[in-house]
Amino acid sequence: MNSKVEQPRSASAGDFVKYALAVLLVAAGVFAYLWFEQWPGALRALAVLGGLVAGTVVFLSSHKGGQVLEFLSESRFELRKVVWPTRQEATRTTWVVILAVIILSLLLAGFDVVIQAAVKWLLGR
């Protein structure tokens, strides 16, 4: 984990402009998709993709975008430390979970039958 201690910085006016521009770029891509119905579907999808990419680039150039990039970088670093289970361990664990679910579902079904019978007996049916 990163041990840097930073003072929280409030968003500047430039950052707000970048946020608004990023949202507008994404909206423009969606608008192009909806407005230009006569275009081929692939070209319309590229318009949306272009809006998303342009909006992401603008957002990542803001202060909050820099924090997002730093977070993703640190997350990737932490993922390298994870000890992943072997295929055999994962398979065994999966079978244990499946067996536990089957046992619990049968147990709950048994309770349901008993309670249903008791309610029917109490109501005299």
Side-chain angles (χ1 to χ4, degrees):
M1 185 162 148
N2 194 349
S3 61
K4 292 190 294 186
V5 177
E6 294 180 6
Q7 296 297 330
R9 182 187 136 217
S10 61
S12 67
D15 282 341
F16 284 120
V17 170
K18 289 178 183 178
Y19 300 151
L21 181 61
V23 169
L24 286 174
L25 286 168
V26 172
V30 173
F31 176 78
Y33 181 85
L34 296 173
W35 185 261
F36 298 107
E37 293 177 355
Q38 70 278 11
W39 287 4
L43 189 58
R44 292 169 62 203
L46 278 175
V48 174
L49 184 63
L52 283 171
V53 168
T56 302
V57 168
V58 170
F59 172 74
L60 291 178
S61 68
S62 68
H63 175 69
K64 192 60 80 174
Q67 288 178 337
V68 167
L69 286 175
E70 182 180 354
F71 172 77
L72 291 175
S73 171
E74 290 176 7
S75 297
R76 190 170 177 209
F77 177 74
E78 290 296 325
L79 275 175
R80 289 190 202 127
K81 296 179 183 179
V82 174
V83 178
W84 298 100
T86 64
R87 184 177 187 90
Q88 185 180 15
E89 290 170 337
T91 303
R92 285 182 181 171
T93 305
T94 302
W95 282 114
V96 168
V97 170
I98 290 171
L99 183 65
V101 167
I102 290 171
I103 290 171
L104 285 173
S105 64
L106 291 173
L107 184 67
L108 289 174
F111 286 151
D112 184 46
V113 168
V114 170
I115 292 171
Q116 186 179 23
V119 168
K120 283 183 179 180
W121 179 77
L122 286 173
L123 294 178
R125 290 188 180 182

PDB file of all heavy atoms in Angstrom, residues 20-49:
ATOM      1  N   ALA A  20     -16.980  18.354 -17.183  1.00  0.00           N
ATOM      2  CA  ALA A  20     -18.117  18.684 -18.051  1.00  0.00           C
ATOM      3  C   ALA A  20     -17.818  18.322 -19.497  1.00  0.00           C
ATOM      4  O   ALA A  20     -18.673  17.775 -20.210  1.00  0.00           O
ATOM      5  CB  ALA A  20     -18.449  20.166 -17.924  1.00  0.00           C
ATOM      6  N   LEU A  21     -16.585  18.619 -19.947  1.00  0.00           N
ATOM      7  CA  LEU A  21     -16.202  18.291 -21.320  1.00  0.00           C
ATOM      8  C   LEU A  21     -16.209  16.779 -21.544  1.00  0.00           C
ATOM      9  O   LEU A  21     -16.654  16.299 -22.592  1.00  0.00           O
ATOM     10  CB  LEU A  21     -14.826  18.885 -21.647  1.00  0.00           C
ATOM     11  CG  LEU A  21     -14.308  18.643 -23.062  1.00  0.00           C
ATOM     12  CD1 LEU A  21     -15.255  19.256 -24.088  1.00  0.00           C
ATOM     13  CD2 LEU A  21     -12.910  19.213 -23.202  1.00  0.00           C
ATOM     14  N   ALA A  22     -15.742  16.021 -20.551  1.00  0.00           N
ATOM     15  CA  ALA A  22     -15.731  14.562 -20.671  1.00  0.00           C
ATOM     16  C   ALA A  22     -17.155  14.029 -20.803  1.00  0.00           C
ATOM     17  O   ALA A  22     -17.436  13.175 -21.655  1.00  0.00           O
ATOM     18  CB  ALA A  22     -15.037  13.939 -19.463  1.00  0.00           C
ATOM     19  N   VAL A  23     -18.065  14.549 -19.990  1.00  0.00           N
ATOM     20  CA  VAL A  23     -19.458  14.103 -20.065  1.00  0.00           C
ATOM     21  C   VAL A  23     -20.065  14.495 -21.414  1.00  0.00           C
ATOM     22  O   VAL A  23     -20.794  13.715 -22.036  1.00  0.00           O
ATOM     23  CB  VAL A  23     -20.279  14.694 -18.891  1.00  0.00           C
ATOM     24  CG1 VAL A  23     -21.759  14.466 -19.084  1.00  0.00           C
ATOM     25  CG2 VAL A  23     -19.809  14.088 -17.576  1.00  0.00           C
ATOM     26  N   LEU A  24     -19.753  15.706 -21.880  1.00  0.00           N
ATOM     27  CA  LEU A  24     -20.282  16.159 -23.169  1.00  0.00           C
ATOM     28  C   LEU A  24     -19.763  15.310 -24.326  1.00  0.00           C
ATOM     29  O   LEU A  24     -20.500  15.042 -25.278  1.00  0.00           O
ATOM     30  CB  LEU A  24     -19.954  17.630 -23.398  1.00  0.00           C
ATOM     31  CG  LEU A  24     -20.782  18.626 -22.577  1.00  0.00           C
ATOM     32  CD1 LEU A  24     -20.257  20.043 -22.782  1.00  0.00           C
ATOM     33  CD2 LEU A  24     -22.244  18.540 -22.942  1.00  0.00           C
ATOM     34  N   LEU A  25     -18.507  14.909 -24.262  1.00  0.00           N
ATOM     35  CA  LEU A  25     -17.954  14.074 -25.327  1.00  0.00           C
ATOM     36  C   LEU A  25     -18.638  12.708 -25.379  1.00  0.00           C
ATOM     37  O   LEU A  25     -18.956  12.195 -26.455  1.00  0.00           O
ATOM     38  CB  LEU A  25     -16.439  13.911 -25.145  1.00  0.00           C
ATOM     39  CG  LEU A  25     -15.606  15.140 -25.488  1.00  0.00           C
ATOM     40  CD1 LEU A  25     -14.170  14.965 -25.006  1.00  0.00           C
ATOM     41  CD2 LEU A  25     -15.640  15.401 -26.981  1.00  0.00           C
ATOM     42  N   VAL A  26     -18.878  12.128 -24.210  1.00  0.00           N
ATOM     43  CA  VAL A  26     -19.584  10.846 -24.172  1.00  0.00           C
ATOM     44  C   VAL A  26     -21.011  11.024 -24.685  1.00  0.00           C
ATOM     45  O   VAL A  26     -21.512  10.222 -25.488  1.00  0.00           O
ATOM     46  CB  VAL A  26     -19.574  10.259 -22.744  1.00  0.00           C
ATOM     47  CG1 VAL A  26     -20.467   9.024 -22.653  1.00  0.00           C
ATOM     48  CG2 VAL A  26     -18.153   9.916 -22.322  1.00  0.00           C
ATOM     49  N   ALA A  27     -21.657  12.104 -24.241  1.00  0.00           N
ATOM     50  CA  ALA A  27     -23.027  12.378 -24.698  1.00  0.00           C
ATOM     51  C   ALA A  27     -23.064  12.620 -26.202  1.00  0.00           C
ATOM     52  O   ALA A  27     -24.015  12.219 -26.884  1.00  0.00           O
ATOM     53  CB  ALA A  27     -23.600  13.573 -23.942  1.00  0.00           C
ATOM     54  N   ALA A  28     -22.027  13.274 -26.736  1.00  0.00           N
ATOM     55  CA  ALA A  28     -21.973  13.525 -28.178  1.00  0.00           C
ATOM     56  C   ALA A  28     -21.864  12.209 -28.951  1.00  0.00           C
ATOM     57  O   ALA A  28     -22.477  12.052 -30.017  1.00  0.00           O
ATOM     58  CB  ALA A  28     -20.792  14.430 -28.510  1.00  0.00           C
ATOM     59  N   GLY A  29     -21.098  11.265 -28.436  1.00  0.00           N
ATOM     60  CA  GLY A  29     -21.009   9.955 -29.080  1.00  0.00           C
ATOM     61  C   GLY A  29     -22.344   9.241 -29.094  1.00  0.00           C
ATOM     62  O   GLY A  29     -22.749   8.669 -30.112  1.00  0.00           O
ATOM     63  N   VAL A  30     -23.065   9.289 -27.969  1.00  0.00           N
ATOM     64  CA  VAL A  30     -24.382   8.656 -27.898  1.00  0.00           C
ATOM     65  C   VAL A  30     -25.365   9.390 -28.808  1.00  0.00           C
ATOM     66  O   VAL A  30     -26.181   8.767 -29.511  1.00  0.00           O
ATOM     67  CB  VAL A  30     -24.887   8.624 -26.439  1.00  0.00           C
ATOM     68  CG1 VAL A  30     -26.325   8.137 -26.362  1.00  0.00           C
ATOM     69  CG2 VAL A  30     -23.984   7.752 -25.581  1.00  0.00           C
ATOM     70  N   PHE A  31     -25.294  10.726 -28.822  1.00  0.00           N
ATOM     71  CA  PHE A  31     -26.163  11.516 -29.678  1.00  0.00           C
ATOM     72  C   PHE A  31     -25.929  11.168 -31.150  1.00  0.00           C
ATOM     73  O   PHE A  31     -26.879  11.013 -31.917  1.00  0.00           O
ATOM     74  CB  PHE A  31     -25.911  13.008 -29.451  1.00  0.00           C
ATOM     75  CG  PHE A  31     -26.696  13.888 -30.371  1.00  0.00           C
ATOM     76  CD1 PHE A  31     -28.039  14.131 -30.134  1.00  0.00           C
ATOM     77  CD2 PHE A  31     -26.101  14.455 -31.487  1.00  0.00           C
ATOM     78  CE1 PHE A  31     -28.771  14.947 -30.979  1.00  0.00           C
ATOM     79  CE2 PHE A  31     -26.817  15.265 -32.344  1.00  0.00           C
ATOM     80  CZ  PHE A  31     -28.165  15.513 -32.090  1.00  0.00           C
ATOM     81  N   ALA A  32     -24.651  11.050 -31.541  1.00  0.00           N
ATOM     82  CA  ALA A  32     -24.340  10.689 -32.930  1.00  0.00           C
ATOM     83  C   ALA A  32     -24.916   9.319 -33.273  1.00  0.00           C
ATOM     84  O   ALA A  32     -25.419   9.110 -34.376  1.00  0.00           O
ATOM     85  CB  ALA A  32     -22.829  10.709 -33.153  1.00  0.00           C
ATOM     86  N   TYR A  33     -24.871   8.399 -32.322  1.00  0.00           N
ATOM     87  CA  TYR A  33     -25.433   7.064 -32.556  1.00  0.00           C
ATOM     88  C   TYR A  33     -26.933   7.152 -32.808  1.00  0.00           C
ATOM     89  O   TYR A  33     -27.467   6.489 -33.694  1.00  0.00           O
ATOM     90  CB  TYR A  33     -25.151   6.165 -31.346  1.00  0.00           C
ATOM     91  CG  TYR A  33     -25.676   4.769 -31.505  1.00  0.00           C
ATOM     92  CD1 TYR A  33     -24.932   3.811 -32.166  1.00  0.00           C
ATOM     93  CD2 TYR A  33     -26.918   4.407 -30.998  1.00  0.00           C
ATOM     94  CE1 TYR A  33     -25.409   2.524 -32.332  1.00  0.00           C
ATOM     95  CE2 TYR A  33     -27.404   3.127 -31.156  1.00  0.00           C
ATOM     96  CZ  TYR A  33     -26.647   2.180 -31.822  1.00  0.00           C
ATOM     97  OH  TYR A  33     -27.129   0.910 -31.973  1.00  0.00           O
ATOM     98  N   LEU A  34     -27.609   7.971 -32.013  1.00  0.00           N
ATOM     99  CA  LEU A  34     -29.064   8.062 -32.136  1.00  0.00           C
ATOM    100  C   LEU A  34     -29.510   8.932 -33.306  1.00  0.00           C
ATOM    101  O   LEU A  34     -30.525   8.677 -33.937  1.00  0.00           O
ATOM    102  CB  LEU A  34     -29.656   8.606 -30.829  1.00  0.00           C
ATOM    103  CG  LEU A  34     -29.460   7.718 -29.606  1.00  0.00           C
ATOM    104  CD1 LEU A  34     -29.924   8.441 -28.355  1.00  0.00           C
ATOM    105  CD2 LEU A  34     -30.181   6.404 -29.770  1.00  0.00           C
ATOM    106  N   TRP A  35     -28.757   9.993 -33.607  1.00  0.00           N
ATOM    107  CA  TRP A  35     -29.173  10.966 -34.613  1.00  0.00           C
ATOM    108  C   TRP A  35     -28.966  10.442 -36.036  1.00  0.00           C
ATOM    109  O   TRP A  35     -29.788  10.650 -36.911  1.00  0.00           O
ATOM    110  CB  TRP A  35     -28.412  12.258 -34.407  1.00  0.00           C
ATOM    111  CG  TRP A  35     -28.847  13.365 -35.309  1.00  0.00           C
ATOM    112  CD1 TRP A  35     -28.243  13.764 -36.461  1.00  0.00           C
ATOM    113  CD2 TRP A  35     -29.986  14.202 -35.152  1.00  0.00           C
ATOM    114  NE1 TRP A  35     -28.914  14.807 -37.020  1.00  0.00           N
ATOM    115  CE2 TRP A  35     -30.017  15.098 -36.232  1.00  0.00           C
ATOM    116  CE3 TRP A  35     -30.993  14.282 -34.204  1.00  0.00           C
ATOM    117  CZ2 TRP A  35     -30.989  16.053 -36.395  1.00  0.00           C
ATOM    118  CZ3 TRP A  35     -31.960  15.246 -34.357  1.00  0.00           C
ATOM    119  CH2 TRP A  35     -31.958  16.112 -35.438  1.00  0.00           C
ATOM    120  N   PHE A  36     -27.831   9.794 -36.265  1.00  0.00           N
ATOM    121  CA  PHE A  36     -27.475   9.347 -37.612  1.00  0.00           C
ATOM    122  C   PHE A  36     -27.901   7.892 -37.817  1.00  0.00           C
ATOM    123  O   PHE A  36     -27.073   6.980 -37.946  1.00  0.00           O
ATOM    124  CB  PHE A  36     -25.974   9.514 -37.848  1.00  0.00           C
ATOM    125  CG  PHE A  36     -25.520  10.937 -37.764  1.00  0.00           C
ATOM    126  CD1 PHE A  36     -24.780  11.386 -36.677  1.00  0.00           C
ATOM    127  CD2 PHE A  36     -25.850  11.837 -38.758  1.00  0.00           C
ATOM    128  CE1 PHE A  36     -24.372  12.702 -36.602  1.00  0.00           C
ATOM    129  CE2 PHE A  36     -25.447  13.159 -38.690  1.00  0.00           C
ATOM    130  CZ  PHE A  36     -24.705  13.604 -37.599  1.00  0.00           C
ATOM    131  N   GLU A  37     -29.202   7.674 -37.879  1.00  0.00           N
ATOM    132  CA  GLU A  37     -29.735   6.319 -38.031  1.00  0.00           C
ATOM    133  C   GLU A  37     -29.406   5.710 -39.386  1.00  0.00           C
ATOM    134  O   GLU A  37     -29.376   4.491 -39.532  1.00  0.00           O
ATOM    135  CB  GLU A  37     -31.249   6.337 -37.836  1.00  0.00           C
ATOM    136  CG  GLU A  37     -31.673   6.682 -36.434  1.00  0.00           C
ATOM    137  CD  GLU A  37     -33.180   6.764 -36.306  1.00  0.00           C
ATOM    138  OE1 GLU A  37     -33.878   6.636 -37.329  1.00  0.00           O
ATOM    139  OE2 GLU A  37     -33.657   6.954 -35.183  1.00  0.00           O
ATOM    140  N   GLN A  38     -29.153   6.561 -40.397  1.00  0.00           N
ATOM    141  CA  GLN A  38     -28.888   6.053 -41.739  1.00  0.00           C
ATOM    142  C   GLN A  38     -27.455   5.514 -41.869  1.00  0.00           C
ATOM    143  O   GLN A  38     -27.156   4.815 -42.831  1.00  0.00           O
ATOM    144  CB  GLN A  38     -29.154   7.142 -42.801  1.00  0.00           C
ATOM    145  CG  GLN A  38     -28.173   8.287 -42.818  1.00  0.00           C
ATOM    146  CD  GLN A  38     -28.468   9.374 -41.770  1.00  0.00           C
ATOM    147  OE1 GLN A  38     -29.297   9.194 -40.886  1.00  0.00           O
ATOM    148  NE2 GLN A  38     -27.776  10.481 -41.862  1.00  0.00           N
ATOM    149  N   TRP A  39     -26.585   5.844 -40.933  1.00  0.00           N
ATOM    150  CA  TRP A  39     -25.214   5.334 -40.981  1.00  0.00           C
ATOM    151  C   TRP A  39     -25.216   3.834 -40.680  1.00  0.00           C
ATOM    152  O   TRP A  39     -26.083   3.338 -39.967  1.00  0.00           O
ATOM    153  CB  TRP A  39     -24.344   6.034 -39.951  1.00  0.00           C
ATOM    154  CG  TRP A  39     -23.983   7.454 -40.271  1.00  0.00           C
ATOM    155  CD1 TRP A  39     -24.400   8.205 -41.317  1.00  0.00           C
ATOM    156  CD2 TRP A  39     -23.124   8.284 -39.499  1.00  0.00           C
ATOM    157  NE1 TRP A  39     -23.872   9.453 -41.257  1.00  0.00           N
ATOM    158  CE2 TRP A  39     -23.067   9.532 -40.139  1.00  0.00           C
ATOM    159  CE3 TRP A  39     -22.405   8.110 -38.331  1.00  0.00           C
ATOM    160  CZ2 TRP A  39     -22.315  10.584 -39.663  1.00  0.00           C
ATOM    161  CZ3 TRP A  39     -21.655   9.167 -37.849  1.00  0.00           C
ATOM    162  CH2 TRP A  39     -21.606  10.374 -38.514  1.00  0.00           C
ATOM    163  N   PRO A  40     -24.220   3.116 -41.177  1.00  0.00           N
ATOM    164  CA  PRO A  40     -24.115   1.688 -40.823  1.00  0.00           C
ATOM    165  C   PRO A  40     -23.902   1.524 -39.308  1.00  0.00           C
ATOM    166  O   PRO A  40     -23.340   2.405 -38.648  1.00  0.00           O
ATOM    167  CB  PRO A  40     -22.887   1.203 -41.585  1.00  0.00           C
ATOM    168  CG  PRO A  40     -22.620   2.239 -42.618  1.00  0.00           C
ATOM    169  CD  PRO A  40     -23.204   3.519 -42.139  1.00  0.00           C
ATOM    170  N   GLY A  41     -24.347   0.402 -38.791  1.00  0.00           N
ATOM    171  CA  GLY A  41     -24.259   0.159 -37.350  1.00  0.00           C
ATOM    172  C   GLY A  41     -22.844   0.225 -36.811  1.00  0.00           C
ATOM    173  O   GLY A  41     -22.614   0.726 -35.710  1.00  0.00           O
ATOM    174  N   ALA A  42     -21.885  -0.274 -37.585  1.00  0.00           N
ATOM    175  CA  ALA A  42     -20.504  -0.265 -37.110  1.00  0.00           C
ATOM    176  C   ALA A  42     -19.978   1.155 -36.981  1.00  0.00           C
ATOM    177  O   ALA A  42     -19.264   1.489 -36.023  1.00  0.00           O
ATOM    178  CB  ALA A  42     -19.625  -1.068 -38.069  1.00  0.00           C
ATOM    179  N   LEU A  43     -20.332   2.027 -37.920  1.00  0.00           N
ATOM    180  CA  LEU A  43     -19.880   3.414 -37.868  1.00  0.00           C
ATOM    181  C   LEU A  43     -20.526   4.144 -36.689  1.00  0.00           C
ATOM    182  O   LEU A  43     -19.867   4.939 -36.004  1.00  0.00           O
ATOM    183  CB  LEU A  43     -20.210   4.116 -39.186  1.00  0.00           C
ATOM    184  CG  LEU A  43     -19.628   5.505 -39.391  1.00  0.00           C
ATOM    185  CD1 LEU A  43     -18.111   5.460 -39.295  1.00  0.00           C
ATOM    186  CD2 LEU A  43     -20.048   6.054 -40.734  1.00  0.00           C
ATOM    187  N   ARG A  44     -21.794   3.846 -36.438  1.00  0.00           N
ATOM    188  CA  ARG A  44     -22.472   4.458 -35.296  1.00  0.00           C
ATOM    189  C   ARG A  44     -21.839   3.990 -33.986  1.00  0.00           C
ATOM    190  O   ARG A  44     -21.676   4.768 -33.046  1.00  0.00           O
ATOM    191  CB  ARG A  44     -23.949   4.108 -35.334  1.00  0.00           C
ATOM    192  CG  ARG A  44     -24.670   4.764 -36.505  1.00  0.00           C
ATOM    193  CD  ARG A  44     -26.067   4.222 -36.709  1.00  0.00           C
ATOM    194  NE  ARG A  44     -26.910   4.477 -35.545  1.00  0.00           N
ATOM    195  CZ  ARG A  44     -27.981   3.764 -35.255  1.00  0.00           C
ATOM    196  NH1 ARG A  44     -28.344   2.759 -36.035  1.00  0.00           N
ATOM    197  NH2 ARG A  44     -28.709   4.048 -34.202  1.00  0.00           N
ATOM    198  N   ALA A  45     -21.480   2.705 -33.922  1.00  0.00           N
ATOM    199  CA  ALA A  45     -20.819   2.182 -32.728  1.00  0.00           C
ATOM    200  C   ALA A  45     -19.448   2.823 -32.543  1.00  0.00           C
ATOM    201  O   ALA A  45     -19.030   3.107 -31.415  1.00  0.00           O
ATOM    202  CB  ALA A  45     -20.695   0.666 -32.815  1.00  0.00           C
ATOM    203  N   LEU A  46     -18.755   3.084 -33.650  1.00  0.00           N
ATOM    204  CA  LEU A  46     -17.466   3.771 -33.556  1.00  0.00           C
ATOM    205  C   LEU A  46     -17.630   5.188 -33.033  1.00  0.00           C
ATOM    206  O   LEU A  46     -16.743   5.703 -32.339  1.00  0.00           O
ATOM    207  CB  LEU A  46     -16.768   3.788 -34.915  1.00  0.00           C
ATOM    208  CG  LEU A  46     -16.010   2.529 -35.291  1.00  0.00           C
ATOM    209  CD1 LEU A  46     -15.465   2.632 -36.710  1.00  0.00           C
ATOM    210  CD2 LEU A  46     -14.878   2.266 -34.315  1.00  0.00           C
ATOM    211  N   ALA A  47     -18.737   5.840 -33.340  1.00  0.00           N
ATOM    212  CA  ALA A  47     -18.994   7.182 -32.818  1.00  0.00           C
ATOM    213  C   ALA A  47     -19.124   7.142 -31.299  1.00  0.00           C
ATOM    214  O   ALA A  47     -18.572   7.992 -30.590  1.00  0.00           O
ATOM    215  CB  ALA A  47     -20.253   7.761 -33.455  1.00  0.00           C
ATOM    216  N   VAL A  48     -19.838   6.146 -30.798  1.00  0.00           N
ATOM    217  CA  VAL A  48     -19.970   6.001 -29.352  1.00  0.00           C
ATOM    218  C   VAL A  48     -18.613   5.685 -28.731  1.00  0.00           C
ATOM    219  O   VAL A  48     -18.224   6.272 -27.714  1.00  0.00           O
ATOM    220  CB  VAL A  48     -20.991   4.902 -29.004  1.00  0.00           C
ATOM    221  CG1 VAL A  48     -21.029   4.649 -27.504  1.00  0.00           C
ATOM    222  CG2 VAL A  48     -22.365   5.280 -29.510  1.00  0.00           C
ATOM    223  N   LEU A  49     -17.886   4.776 -29.332  1.00  0.00           N
ATOM    224  CA  LEU A  49     -16.565   4.407 -28.829  1.00  0.00           C
ATOM    225  C   LEU A  49     -15.630   5.608 -28.839  1.00  0.00           C
ATOM    226  O   LEU A  49     -14.874   5.832 -27.882  1.00  0.00           O
ATOM    227  CB  LEU A  49     -15.985   3.259 -29.652  1.00  0.00           C
ATOM    228  CG  LEU A  49     -14.653   2.698 -29.176  1.00  0.00           C
ATOM    229  CD1 LEU A  49     -14.800   2.095 -27.791  1.00  0.00           C
ATOM    230  CD2 LEU A  49     -14.144   1.667 -30.152  1.00  0.00           C
TER     231      LEU A  49
END
